[in-house]
Amino acid sequence: MWKVKYTKKFLKELAKIPQKIQERVERIVFIELKEGDSFSLGYIREIERI
């Protein structure tokens, strides 16, 4: 499980974007990333080592 912190700047910027995009971002960052394995969701991937 990830510990997620949201900055004031992030929340202010989120409020400025179009409603449809804002709803999608909110669903990802406030629900999906907290509930599931972030890597399996496809939003985050592990950095490959060379």
Side-chain angles (χ1 to χ4, degrees):
M1 168 107 17
W2 293 74
K3 182 176 182 180
V4 181
K5 292 185 178 182
Y6 306 101
T7 64
K8 287 181 184 180
K9 183 174 181 170
F10 168 76
L11 297 172
K12 285 181 181 181
E13 292 296 320
L14 181 61
K16 293 179 184 178
I17 61 177
Q19 184 66 32
K20 189 172 183 177
I21 298 170
Q22 182 179 348
E23 289 171 1
R24 177 71 177 131
V25 171
E26 287 174 350
R27 186 171 49 252
I28 292 169
V29 298
F30 297 131
I31 299 169
E32 294 178 17
L33 291 178
K34 286 186 172 185
E35 291 179 352
D37 175 21
S38 302
F39 295 107
S40 67
L41 293 171
Y43 302 121
I44 300 173
R45 66 181 174 94
E46 189 172 357
I47 297 174
E48 298 175 19
R49 294 182 184 205
I50 298 176

